[in-house]
Amino acid sequence: MRLLNYCLNFLTSCVSRVLVKSKVLPQSPIEQYDLNPEHPTFYIVRLNSRFDLAALTNVCKKHGLPNPCDYQTLGNQELERFIGIKNPPPLFGDTAKPTAALSQGKQIIEHLLNSGQKNVQVVPVTILWGRDPGKEKPGIRTLITHSLTPSWFRKFFVVLFSGRDNFIRFSQPLDLSLIVNEKADVNELPQKLLRVARVHFKRQKLAATGPKMPSREQLFNSLLASPTIKKAIQDEAKSKGVSQAEARQNALKLLDEIAANYSEAMIRVGDRILTWLWTKLYNGIDIKYTEQIHELTNRGHEIIYMPCHRSHMDYLLLTYAIYHQGLVPPHIAAGINLNFFPAGGIFRRSGAFFIRRSFAGNKLYSAVFKEYLSQLFIKGYSVKFYTEGGRSRTGRLLPPKTGMLAMTLQAMLRGIDRPVSIVPVYIGYEHVMEINTYLKELAGKDKKGESVFGIFKAIKNLKNYGRGYLNFGDPISINQYLNDNQPDWRDAVHPTDVQKPQWLGPQVAALADQVMVKINNAAALNAVNLLAMILLVNDKHALSKPKLLAQLDFYLRLQRDASYSNKVTAPDETPEQLLTHAIKLNKFDVISDEFGEIIAINDKEKTLFNYYRNNILHLFAVPSLIALHLFKQHSSTVEQCQKLVSAFYPLFAKEWYLQPLDENYITRILANFSDQNLIELDGDTIHVTNTNDSLAKLEMLGRSLSFTLQRYAIVVGFIQTSNGIEKAELERESQVLANRLGTLHGIKTPEFFDKKVLVSFIDNLRGELLITDGENGIHGSTQLCEIYMYLKTLLPARIWQSVSDIVQDQCN
């Protein structure tokens, strides 16, 4: 029997080598799961198929894993390493014979119980041929897909047509001690082992392919039959004086405008195109913290991806990254402005559904969209939307728009039977394709609509854009969030018509802010944004190469030893390697003279570099504030630094979406300054090391915060030197003064003059109770007076003079 099996396996393996190309996740199973090839190893799979065994065998050989075709010795018995839970059906008939999986499981468990051996590795392996989810109503295509369990004959066609898209995922070995230690009948333990494996494979398949797809007609008919849309159609007919049939037709048109038309074939084509595109555009894509997503899918969570929005490239990059992690691409909420020929059809077949900028005044559209979104969640599709609503033109996170998130929570109130988790995503680039367009828009130029000509122009201008960065932040379980913050939320659950509970708005706003915080927690440092941090604070935006490398090394060590968040990623390269890489991007000038090299930002790039600095400025906010204080005072105490940070941090947190302040963070920063010989710590006392090098490093770091503090000084100055000032006047005069300071001191940072940023700061002051509204306008609190005095000591005298002169003139 063994000889026959060997021959059949050899024959299948030969065919497999020709027809099969496997993608393996994780890329290094031994390292990822700490596997030991010397320990007894078994592979448990869903289907007992020779082609599955052959594909797995080839992969195991490449990765140094034990051969699944071999027998494994356990005590005095030999067992097959390959454990297939289910046999394929026979060519004729529907009933498949049971496999030996149950007896294999029983022998493994008996061995564990009798020997006490704990090093047996039972590794679940998901094997998929293609990632087509299949149709709710199967058709002829099921002959060549893996959506159903195929017979050996049909499996040949599956391998023939989908062999090049074979997908193999190794999972964490089963913890057999949990099963063995259970107080249960020994005979029931093998059954439990197989049940655990079946649930695991079901979740893995759903995560990789998504649920089966209804036809577009089926989907529309089911949505139009829902009580919510039926009522909306009746209201539409009544309010507009049209027939029910006409109102229904309007709803159908809206569905056609909104709904995605997901095609796995389009995804495969897109995958090949994007793989080519990334090699043209980028030196690489760095993707971090994907294990969190796999953990969620293993637990059966519904996933909502909420990334920041830097560029139109985000749509492609995130979907590509998710697909290459073995997960089904999410349905993407895209602005209706992207629904133009031919991009609209491509995006729609890639999973995009389109949303209008505003629902105001269109109750039918609102009802149709909400019902469509609810059905996506109920059926188990992952979804992606950009909480900022649009792309950031300044590099800072925009205030979140809460409409989509509110509809997500309302969908949960329909009674979704799976836990739902938000995955915040930080996306960063060393070059943003639209950066020049953003600058023009900030200067007042009208935003242009997207078109096919824009696509051709972008393709024509393909060049080296450096590296792209994608970090998955800490997930937020919506169920747990509501349990913690709104324990009675389940009282509002209703299967059809969900009334908006009063608590929804505040909880959505708080949850949206938490998402933004977790996005910023996962920021990625890179060569360009680090060099922007350094060069923009220097005269002429230039610095000698040795000084630049020294400051870059200072920042890298600071972020590695005293990082704002454990999710922040820093490059592994040395400062010299980072600078060499950055110079190749043609953003810098290298000027040589008899004293050495000077690195300067290209003249045309100087204003643009503010964008890249703003991507990571929040990571340096507290270190910069402390450095500025120490540079000004030369000596201080730990307590004074803590008071200073405590005064400003609430404003920083609102502006940059920062996590609650950890006092140990200040201690770590000071310890790092000490380690780098910038300061001397003597108990609570701090002395700045009296060297030009130390002072220069602290000054450069402190100046990173200069423009932010100047904006604060403008607004706070008007409030503190007036006997009350109206909000509209404060906003207007603050912007006038910001423009004047820009002219006087050569400030070209776009957000410095942005009225929205100034208005947001005023709102933050009110939210922190630093200002109150009286009969004759806004008044400052005692704490605001303290901040005012701090600003006076922190800002350069020439800047403070410009501010105070104008503020006093305006207020006298």
Side-chain angles (χ1 to χ4, degrees):
M1 188 65 178
R2 284 196 183 185
L3 180 60
L4 177 61
N5 278 336
Y6 175 81
C7 293
L8 290 174
N9 290 340
F10 177 77
L11 180 62
T12 311
S13 179
C14 292
V15 176
S16 180
R17 287 194 189 96
V18 176
L19 298 179
V20 177
K21 181 180 180 181
S22 299
K23 176 176 178 57
V24 181
L25 287 175
Q27 294 180 352
S28 301
I30 291 178
E31 294 178 11
Q32 179 75 26
Y33 301 127
D34 196 23
L35 299 176
N36 189 336
E38 301 301 320
H39 289 171
T41 303
F42 297 88
Y43 305 95
I44 186 166
V45 299
R46 188 182 69 88
L47 193 63
N48 186 29
S49 161
R50 292 195 185 277
F51 275 112
D52 287 11
L53 174 58
L56 179 60
T57 300
N58 292 335
V59 165
C60 287
K61 287 180 179 178
K62 290 178 182 178
H63 289 80
L65 288 163
N67 190 338
C69 289
D70 290 345
Y71 283 74
Q72 178 66 58
T73 301
L74 276 185
N76 59 359
Q77 58 186 343
E78 287 192 331
L79 302 177
E80 292 182 67
R81 280 204 175 112
F82 187 77
I83 305 174
I85 295 178
K86 186 176 182 180
N87 271 327
L91 185 57
F92 301 104
D94 298 322
T95 306
K97 294 180 180 179
T99 68
L102 193 60
S103 64
Q104 288 171 284
K106 184 177 180 181
Q107 289 171 298
I108 292 171
I109 288 172
E110 285 178 349
H111 172 77
L112 293 175
L113 290 170
N114 294 331
S115 68
Q117 192 174 355
K118 296 182 179 180
N119 62 353
V120 176
Q121 304 171 142
V122 178
V123 183
V125 184
T126 304
I127 303 175
L128 298 175
W129 300 87
R131 291 170 55 190
D132 190 332
K135 298 290 186 182
E136 287 186 356
K137 289 187 177 180
I140 189 65
R141 287 192 69 241
T142 57
L143 180 67
I144 57 173
T145 69
H146 203 47
S147 55
L148 299 175
T149 303
S151 66
W152 66 265
F153 179 72
R154 195 153 61 86
K155 187 61 171 272
F156 174 77
F157 288 97
V158 168
V159 173
L160 183 64
F161 288 98
S162 301
R164 310 301 290 179
D165 291 307
N166 177 245
F167 173 75
I168 296 179
R169 172 181 287 287
F170 292 88
S171 297
Q172 183 75 39
L174 298 176
D175 190 347
L176 297 178
S177 63
L178 294 177
I179 298 175
V180 171
N181 293 335
E182 280 196 1
K183 295 180 180 179
D185 188 338
V186 175
N187 294 322
E188 293 179 1
L189 295 180
Q191 294 279 10
K192 181 174 178 60
L193 173 63
L194 298 189
R195 281 199 302 271
V196 169
R198 287 191 188 97
V199 171
H200 173 80
F201 291 133
K202 183 177 180 180
R203 287 176 175 173
Q204 288 291 303
K205 185 177 186 302
L206 185 64
T209 67
K212 293 181 179 179
M213 300 291 296
S215 68
R216 201 166 172 80
E217 183 181 0
Q218 283 176 281
L219 175 64
F220 288 1
N221 287 337
S222 66
L223 288 169
L224 291 172
S226 70
T228 304
I229 293 187
K230 277 185 175 181
K231 185 177 183 304
I233 289 172
Q234 291 172 357
D235 293 343
E236 175 84 355
K238 186 176 180 180
S239 64
K240 294 190 175 178
V242 297
S243 67
Q244 289 268 0
E246 190 174 346
R248 189 179 189 278
Q249 192 62 30
N250 290 340
L252 188 61
K253 289 179 181 178
L254 292 175
L255 277 173
D256 192 53
E257 174 191 308
I258 294 167
N261 189 22
Y262 181 84
S263 166
E264 199 266 340
M266 177 61 74
I267 294 294
R268 280 190 282 113
V269 171
D271 174 44
R272 287 161 174 76
I273 294 173
L274 290 179
T275 299
W276 167 83
L277 183 63
W278 299 146
T279 60
K280 293 288 184 182
L281 290 179
Y282 301 109
N283 293 330
I285 306 295
D286 290 349
I287 304 171
K288 303 291 186 183
Y289 307 124
T290 58
E291 64 277 1
Q292 301 171 126
I293 310 176
H294 296 306
E295 184 179 342
L296 291 175
T297 59
N298 288 339
R299 302 204 317 258
H301 281 235
E302 181 93 26
I303 297 179
I304 301 168
Y305 300 95
M306 292 180 64
C308 60
H309 203 3
R310 311 283 194 212
S311 164
H312 281 321
M313 195 60 68
D314 300 345
Y315 297 105
L316 305 177
L317 178 60
L318 182 52
T319 299
Y320 179 86
I322 291 169
Y323 184 73
H324 274 257
Q325 289 303 311
L327 301 169
V328 61
H331 278 55
I332 308 164
I336 195 68
N337 59 309
L338 294 179
N339 190 20
F340 61 89
F341 179 83
I346 295 172
F347 289 154
R348 198 183 294 275
R349 293 180 69 80
S350 300
F353 59 96
F354 294 98
I355 180 172
R356 296 180 182 178
R357 292 296 181 190
S358 173
F359 293 11
N362 196 333
K363 293 182 178 179
L364 181 61
Y365 181 85
S366 178
V368 167
F369 187 87
K370 288 179 180 179
E371 186 65 22
Y372 175 74
L373 187 64
S374 293
Q375 285 300 310
L376 291 181
F377 291 128
I378 290 168
K379 287 180 176 293
Y381 299 108
S382 59
V383 172
K384 176 179 76 175
F385 58 84
Y386 298 91
T387 187
E388 294 169 283
R391 292 164 292 161
S392 170
R393 267 63 176 173
T394 63
R396 299 153 51 104
L397 289 185
L398 301 175
K401 301 207 182 308
T402 57
M404 280 291 294
L405 189 55
M407 286 186 280
T408 298
L409 264 65
Q410 286 180 290
M412 284 190 63
L413 297 181
R414 296 281 296 272
I416 298 172
D417 60 359
R418 297 205 305 157
V420 180
S421 286
I422 294 171
V423 176
V425 187
Y426 175 91
I427 302 176
Y429 304 92
E430 289 183 329
H431 180 86
V432 173
M433 291 177 67
E434 304 96 325
I435 189 74
N436 288 294
T437 303
Y438 292 169
L439 188 62
K440 293 175 184 176
E441 291 175 13
L442 287 170
K445 190 172 182 179
D446 291 338
K447 178 180 180 293
K448 289 185 177 181
E450 278 71 30
S451 69
V452 67
F453 301 106
I455 294 177
F456 290 139
K457 184 177 179 180
I459 293 173
K460 180 183 176 181
N461 293 333
L462 290 183
K463 61 178 182 179
N464 178 12
Y465 289 149
R467 299 187 70 84
Y469 300 85
L470 195 153
N471 292 344
F472 293 98
D474 287 324
I476 303 171
S477 167
I478 298 182
N479 304 68
Q480 189 61 49
Y481 175 86
L482 291 176
N483 289 341
D484 294 340
N485 297 280
Q486 194 68 42
D488 63 343
W489 70 275
R490 287 185 174 82
D491 295 343
V493 173
H494 191 282
T496 54
D497 189 19
V498 176
Q499 297 297 319
K500 183 179 178 181
Q502 291 184 346
W503 53 259
L504 185 66
Q507 293 296 356
V508 166
L511 180 58
D513 282 349
Q514 193 175 128
V515 171
M516 306 306 277
V517 167
K518 289 184 179 292
I519 289 173
N520 264 344
N521 282 1
L525 298 160
N526 61 55
V528 173
N529 55 36
L530 283 167
L531 291 174
M533 283 287 302
I534 297 169
L535 291 174
L536 285 175
V537 303
N538 283 278
D539 295 335
K540 303 298 182 182
H541 300 156
L543 196 62
S544 69
K545 184 176 179 180
K547 293 290 185 183
L548 177 61
L549 290 174
Q551 194 73 8
L552 183 53
D553 182 61
F554 169 31
Y555 287 1
L556 287 170
R557 290 176 62 185
L558 174 64
Q559 289 298 331
R560 286 167 182 160
D561 298 341
S563 181
Y564 159 76
S565 161
N566 60 6
K567 278 288 188 295
V568 172
T569 57
D572 295 325
E573 293 88 350
T574 65
E576 291 82 358
Q577 290 170 329
L578 290 174
L579 180 59
T580 300
H581 164 72
I583 290 172
K584 292 178 181 178
L585 300 178
N586 297 319
K587 294 178 180 294
F588 303 90
D589 293 326
V590 181
I591 305 162
S592 298
D593 59 23
E594 59 186 291
F595 298 107
E597 291 182 335
I598 295 173
I599 310 299
I601 302 173
N602 288 347
D603 285 340
K604 64 178 182 180
E605 299 277 352
K606 287 181 179 179
T607 305
L608 304 179
F609 259 63
N610 288 287
Y611 185 98
Y612 302 112
R613 179 188 60 185
N614 287 343
N615 287 176
I616 61 167
L617 185 57
H618 66 285
L619 303 180
F620 291 88
V622 175
S624 179
L625 184 64
I626 294 173
L628 184 58
H629 168 69
L630 295 176
F631 172 74
K632 288 280 188 175
Q633 302 299 321
H634 283 251
S635 65
S636 184
T637 65
V638 174
E639 183 181 2
Q640 287 174 342
C641 289
Q642 289 173 337
K643 286 183 178 179
L644 173 69
V645 173
S646 296
F648 281 93
Y649 196 82
L651 301 177
F652 293 168
K654 289 286 187 180
E655 178 161 351
W656 288 307
Y657 299 100
L658 303 183
Q659 62 191 354
L661 178 63
D662 176 5
E663 288 193 5
N664 291 329
Y665 181 37
I666 299 171
T667 305
R668 294 200 309 273
I669 292 169
L670 292 173
N672 179 268
F673 285 179
S674 177
D675 291 342
Q676 300 204 51
N677 298 316
L678 304 179
I679 62 173
E680 294 176 358
L681 283 170
D682 183 11
D684 188 57
T685 305
I686 306 168
H687 294 287
V688 175
T689 305
N690 193 21
T691 65
N692 290 334
D693 182 61
S694 299
L695 291 171
K697 286 182 177 179
L698 289 173
E699 182 187 20
M700 272 192 276
L701 176 57
R703 290 180 68 181
S704 302
L705 208 57
S706 178
F707 294 151
T708 300
L709 296 182
Q710 287 178 47
R711 276 193 290 106
Y712 289 5
I714 291 169
V715 176
V716 175
F718 274 120
I719 296 170
Q720 288 299 113
T721 56
S722 69
N723 294 319
I725 183 170
E726 294 297 328
K727 185 174 186 291
E729 182 184 359
L730 177 60
E731 292 171 1
R732 181 178 61 256
E733 298 296 346
S734 294
Q735 190 174 25
V736 170
L737 178 49
N739 281 296
R740 183 173 178 82
L741 280 180
T743 302
L744 287 172
H745 302 288
I747 300 170
K748 296 183 179 180
T749 303
E751 71 271 11
F752 187 78
F753 318 99
D754 191 341
K755 184 178 180 181
K756 291 180 181 178
V757 176
L758 291 167
V759 171
S760 178
F761 176 63
I762 296 169
D763 291 339
N764 292 341
L765 292 176
R766 181 179 285 106
E768 293 299 317
L769 304 180
L770 294 172
I771 58 174
T772 54
D773 295 301
E775 291 183 0
N776 59 340
I778 293 173
H779 295 270
S781 66
T782 304
Q783 290 86 352
L784 191 67
C785 182
E786 182 183 1
I787 290 173
Y788 183 68
M789 298 309 296
Y790 274 133
L791 288 168
K792 192 172 183 178
T793 63
L794 292 170
L795 288 175
R798 60 189 179 86
I799 299 293
W800 186 258
Q801 187 65 49
S802 297
V803 173
S804 59
D805 284 351
I806 298 170
V807 166
Q808 289 172 7
D809 288 343
Q810 294 290 328
C811 296
N812 287 336

